[in-house]
Amino acid sequence: MDPIHILLVEDNEGDIVLTTEALEEGKVANSLSVVKDGWEAIQYLEQNEGYEDAEEPNLVLLDINLPKVNGHEVLKHIKTSDSLKHIPVIMLTTSSDKVDINKSYKNHSNCYITKPVEVNKFIEVISTIENFWISIVQLPSKAK
Amino acid sequence: MKKLWITYRSFIYSNCTVPAIPQSSTYYWKNHLFATTVVFLIPLSIIVLVPGIYMAYKFSLTGMLLSDFITLGSILAVAFMPGISVFARKIIFNGALYSTSVVMLHYLGSTGPGLLYLFAITVFVLVSLDQRYGYLTLLLNTLICIYFGIALHYGFASSILEKEYPLDSWIAVSSNLVFLSGTAVFLIPKLFNGLQSAFEKQEHLKNKLEDSVENLNAKNKELERFAYTVSHDLKEPLRMVRSFMELLKNKYGKQLDDKAHTYIHHAVDGAKRMGDNIDDLLQYSRIGRKYTTIEKTDLNRLVDGILKNLTADIKKTQAQISIGDLPTMHLVPVSIKILFQNLLTNALKYQSDGQRPVITVEAKEKDTCWQFEVSDNGIGIEPRYHDQVFAVFKRLHTRDKFTGNGMGLAISKKIVEQHGGNIWIESNQEQGSTFTFTIGKHHIVKKNNDSV
C-alpha cells in the first residue's frame, strides 16, 4: 500500500505536536505536511509559488480558527474547485458551536470533529481518524 | 343561526370595507363604522319599514310607499351588490336616506322622522366620509329647509305640513336642525382628528419600542457570541497546559520522582478547575439570556430525573431522600433542573464523615407563588455566612474537605430570581440546612442582559 499523505492545517503548535505524535504512533505508514494558516493551505493545494513541488494530499485535517484565511473559507475553496473537491476534508477544531458545525457540512466537509479536552482522548481520536480514513475507507485516486 | 349571522356580517364587511388599511388609520375605523351601520340597519329597517308601509298603504300615500321600497332596495344594494366601490356605497346609502327624509317631511310633516333623519344623515356622513361631505350635508339640509319654507309660503306644501306650521314656526324649527347639523360638522371631525393623532402617537411609540427590543436582542446575541468566544479563547491555552502536563506524565512518568508527580498533579488540577470555572461562569451568564423557554413542567418528574443522575452518590452515601408532592407549573425547565440539581448535590455533599444523609423536598402553595424547601441533616452553615453563600465563587470550606468552586448557590439564586422568586437559608452549624425558595405562579421570566 502506498504511504498516505496527510495535510494538517493548524496554527496551534501544541496541537501540531500532539497530532504528529498521535499519527506517528499509528500503525499505518503515512507522511504529514503541516501549514499554519488558511492562505498557506490554499497555496499548498494549488501548488502556487513556493509549493510547486507540493504533493496532493490524500486527506486534509482542517482547523477553523486560522490566521489570514479561516477554515471555512479554505473548505469552500477546496469543495468548489474541480481539481480539489474529491479530497476528503476532516474539520478538526476546538469549536463545538452549532453554527460552525452546520456551516462546515453545508460546505461539504466530509466530517466534523471537536478536539477532546483530555490528551488521552485526543490521541485516541487521532488514531481513530487514522484507522477509519486510512485503513477502512477507500480513498479516491489522486488527480495528478 | 349564529353561523348565518356571522356569514351575513362578514359578507357585508367584505363589501363595505377596504382591505389592507392599518388599524392606526381613522379611515379603517370609518369604514368599519359604516359596515357596522349597514349590518345592523338591514334587520332594524325591517322593524321601521313594516309599520311605514302599513301606514302608507292605509292612508294611500303612494309616493311614500314607493320611496320606502326604493330606500330598502338601495340599502340592500349597498350591502350585497358586488362591484361597487366603498365610496359609492357610502354615497348611495346617504342619498337613499336623504330621499326618504324629504319624502317623510313632505308626507308626514316634522312630527314624522324626517327632520330627525336629516340630522342623522349629517352624523352618518361625518362618521363614514370626511368633513367636506359634512359641509355638503349642512348645505343640503339648509336647502331642504328653505325649500319647505318656500313651499309653505307659496302654498304648495303638503296639507299635513301646512296644518302643523305657519312659516315663522317652520323657520324656528328648521333653523334648529341647521344649527345642530352645523355643530356636528365642526365637532365630529375634531373627534376623529384627536383619534388620528392618538393613533399616530401610539404607532410611533410602538415603532420605538420595537426598535429598542430589536436593538436589545442584537446586543444580547452579540454578548452571547462574545461569551462563547472568550470562553473558547480562555480554554484553548488551558487545554495545552493540561494536555502537555498529562503527556509528560504518560511518557516520562517513570523517570520522574514523587515531587515532580505532585507538581504535575497540581498543574493539571489547576487547569481542570479553571476550565470548570469558565464553564460555570458561562452557565451563569446564560441564565435569563439563553435559558428562557418556558414550559409547563411536572416537577415530580423533573426531580425524579435528577435523582436518577445522582444514583451513584445516593448509593455511596446510603442517603434517605423523600420527595413530597410537587406541583406542575410554568417555568424554564433547563434552569429549574440546574437549581434542584445544585441543592440536592449540596445536601448530599456537605455531610460529616459517616453520617447518613436524610434529605426532604417539600412544596407549599401560597397565594401568588409556590414555596419549596430542600432540607438536610448535614454540617449546616453558621448564620453569619448566610448571605455570603449566594455570592459568585464564594466558598466556606477548603478544597481538601469539600470540592467545588463556589458557583452552585450563585447560579441557584440567579435562577430563582429569574423566576420572580426569592431564596434563603435557615441553618445552624451541625444542625442541618434548609434552603427555601419561591417561584411565582404568574411570573414573566425576566430576560436580562448581564455581562459575562
Side-chain angles (χ1 to χ4, degrees):
Chain A
M1 194 162 71
D2 283 343
I4 295 294
H5 178 211
I6 299 169
L7 176 66
L8 174 67
V9 189
E10 171 68 74
D11 69 315
N12 186 337
E13 294 283 355
D15 276 331
I16 295 173
V17 173
L18 287 179
T19 311
T20 314
E21 291 200 1
L23 284 173
E24 273 169 10
E25 277 175 26
K27 296 160 203 125
V28 190
N30 58 57
S31 63
L32 183 74
S33 303
V34 181
V35 284
K36 290 182 183 172
D37 68 54
W39 190 81
E40 292 277 319
I42 292 171
Q43 301 314 304
Y44 183 98
L45 289 162
E46 293 290 349
Q47 296 176 320
N48 286 346
E49 222 180 307
Y51 293 104
E52 287 91 348
D53 297 331
E55 194 198 338
E56 183 189 302
N58 295 95
L59 202 60
V60 177
L61 297 179
L62 182 58
D63 193 8
I64 288 179
N65 209 346
L66 290 169
K68 290 183 194 167
V69 179
N70 73 29
H72 286 302
E73 285 169 60
V74 175
L75 175 65
K76 212 184 259 173
H77 181 93
I78 295 172
K79 291 302 179 182
T80 52
S81 155
D82 272 340
S83 55
L84 299 173
K85 65 182 171 192
H86 60 279
I87 305 172
V89 179
I90 298 163
M91 306 306 284
L92 184 64
T93 168
T94 45
S95 166
S96 55
D97 192 358
K98 273 186 189 145
V99 177
D100 281 334
I101 297 172
N102 292 341
K103 199 171 171 186
S104 299
Y105 282 111
K106 281 211 170 117
N107 285 328
H108 307 286
S109 118
N110 295 75
C111 73
Y112 187 105
I113 293 167
T114 302
K115 288 176 191 165
V117 177
E118 276 177 48
V119 71
N120 292 331
K121 284 231 177 84
F122 185 89
I123 290 168
E124 197 183 303
V125 163
I126 297 294
S127 62
T128 308
I129 291 174
E130 192 180 26
N131 189 36
F132 180 76
W133 283 99
I134 300 174
S135 310
I136 298 176
V137 164
Q138 294 282 358
L139 291 168
S141 1
K142 293 182 183 183
K144 300 152 210 167
Chain B
M1 191 65 193
K2 198 179 163 190
K3 231 179 183 174
L4 195 70
W5 172 255
I6 289 169
T7 321
Y8 157 79
R9 200 180 54 186
S10 59
F11 185 74
I12 292 183
Y13 266 84
S14 72
N15 277 337
C16 296
T17 57
V18 180
I21 295 198
Q23 288 199 5
S24 56
S25 154
T26 49
Y27 185 47
Y28 170 88
W29 293 104
K30 283 181 171 184
N31 286 338
H32 272 253
L33 280 169
F34 173 62
T36 314
T37 311
V38 175
V39 165
F40 288 100
L41 199 77
I42 291 172
L44 289 175
S45 67
I46 291 164
I47 301 171
V48 181
L49 271 168
V50 170
I53 291 167
Y54 171 73
M55 292 293 279
Y57 175 73
K58 193 178 167 187
F59 298 103
S60 57
L61 305 170
T62 330
M64 223 184 103
L65 202 60
L66 195 67
S67 147
D68 279 351
F69 279 114
I70 291 172
T71 309
L72 184 62
S74 311
I75 291 172
L76 289 177
V78 164
F80 298 113
M81 213 160 95
I84 318 176
S85 75
V86 173
F87 176 74
R89 284 176 205 274
K90 289 175 179 174
I91 297 290
I92 296 170
F93 178 81
N94 288 302
L97 287 183
Y98 255 119
S99 77
T100 320
S101 41
V102 172
V103 170
M104 279 179 175
L105 265 174
H106 180 75
Y107 285 105
L108 302 175
S110 70
T111 46
L115 281 180
L116 202 64
Y117 269 42
L118 286 181
F119 178 67
I121 293 165
T122 313
V123 176
F124 275 152
V125 166
L126 286 166
V127 164
S128 58
L129 295 159
D130 61 30
Q131 200 173 14
R132 279 177 299 165
Y133 296 93
Y135 287 126
L136 197 66
T137 59
L138 181 60
L139 183 70
L140 274 172
N141 288 356
T142 315
L143 288 177
I144 290 166
C145 290
I146 290 170
Y147 164 78
F148 280 105
I150 292 168
L152 280 169
H153 184 69
Y154 291 102
F156 59 86
S158 66
S159 53
I160 292 180
L161 206 59
E162 266 184 359
K163 224 186 286 172
E164 264 180 9
Y165 292 110
L167 181 60
D168 49 357
S169 314
W170 171 251
I171 291 172
V173 169
S174 62
S175 61
N176 273 304
L177 169 74
V178 175
F179 165 72
L180 284 176
S181 306
T183 314
V185 169
F186 289 106
L187 283 183
I188 292 178
K190 274 216 160 55
L191 183 74
F192 274 101
N193 288 343
L195 269 178
Q196 179 72 53
S197 71
F199 281 149
E200 274 163 14
K201 254 182 216 157
Q202 199 189 8
E203 184 76 6
H204 179 70
L205 279 177
K206 205 181 109 196
N207 287 342
K208 237 174 138 179
L209 198 69
E210 275 168 4
D211 279 357
S212 316
V213 169
E214 213 170 282
N215 229 320
L216 207 63
N217 281 341
K219 282 261 152 63
N220 269 346
K221 268 203 187 123
E222 200 184 297
L223 208 63
E224 175 65 32
R225 187 85 203 148
F226 176 75
Y228 177 81
T229 316
V230 166
S231 72
H232 178 260
D233 287 349
L234 288 178
K235 281 166 82 175
E236 179 60 35
L238 214 56
R239 192 171 60 87
M240 286 299 109
V241 172
R242 226 181 121 178
S243 295
F244 283 96
M245 279 295 161
E246 278 172 357
L247 213 56
L248 187 67
K249 196 170 80 181
N250 290 351
K251 286 204 165 174
Y252 303 97
K254 281 179 192 151
Q255 288 150 259
L256 297 171
D257 62 6
D258 284 352
K259 213 170 191 178
H261 275 290
T262 321
Y263 293 170
I264 290 173
H265 168 77
H266 286 305
V268 171
D269 182 55
K272 210 187 265 178
R273 276 190 290 113
M274 187 159 165
D276 291 344
N277 288 356
I278 293 168
D279 284 342
D280 278 355
L281 261 186
L282 200 63
Q283 187 179 63
Y284 186 77
S285 86
R286 279 182 174 150
I287 296 159
R289 252 177 337 102
K290 203 154 189 170
Y291 304 153
T292 51
T293 316
I294 301 174
E295 281 167 44
K296 195 175 175 186
T297 310
D298 180 357
L299 289 174
N300 293 302
R301 283 185 59 182
L302 186 132
V303 171
D304 261 6
I306 295 167
L307 292 181
K308 280 206 185 87
N309 289 342
L310 297 174
T311 308
D313 286 333
I314 295 170
K315 268 195 181 152
K316 201 172 84 190
T317 55
Q318 291 184 304
Q320 180 193 329
I321 300 176
S322 59
I323 311 287
D325 196 19
L326 305 179
T328 295
M329 58 191 302
H330 285 275
L331 37 77
V332 182
V334 197
S335 297
I336 296 295
K337 198 169 175 182
I338 296 170
L339 171 67
F340 274 106
Q341 173 115 23
N342 284 348
L343 293 180
L344 287 170
T345 311
N346 281 354
L348 282 170
K349 185 164 78 177
Y350 294 103
Q351 296 281 350
S352 13
D353 281 340
Q355 170 89 295
R356 186 180 172 195
V358 178
I359 300 166
T360 58
V361 178
E362 296 284 348
K364 283 182 205 150
E365 189 167 8
K366 303 270 169 175
D367 282 347
T368 57
C369 62
W370 277 88
Q371 185 173 310
F372 298 86
E373 281 182 14
V374 180
S375 308
D376 63 56
N377 60 339
I379 56 169
I381 299 169
E382 276 181 76
R384 62 184 164 130
Y385 295 123
H386 283 187
D387 284 340
Q388 293 181 34
V389 290
F390 295 106
V392 172
F393 289 126
K394 183 69 198 177
R395 296 174 44 82
L396 296 180
H397 305 281
T398 51
R399 274 193 193 85
D400 54 346
K401 258 185 157 171
F402 296 103
T403 56
N405 60 7
M407 279 302 285
L409 287 177
I411 290 172
S412 303
K413 186 177 178 186
K414 203 173 167 194
I415 292 169
V416 171
E417 283 172 356
Q418 183 206 6
H419 286 81
N422 282 311
I423 185 166
W424 64 92
I425 175 177
E426 283 157 52
S427 173
N428 269 308
Q429 206 162 13
E430 307 300 334
Q431 290 171 20
S433 316
T434 299
F435 283 89
T436 310
F437 61 92
T438 56
I439 292 177
K441 283 179 192 165
H442 309 289
H443 66 277
I444 298 164
V445 171
K446 275 192 248 161
K447 293 189 181 189
N448 51 34
N449 46 328
D450 288 12
S451 53
V452 185

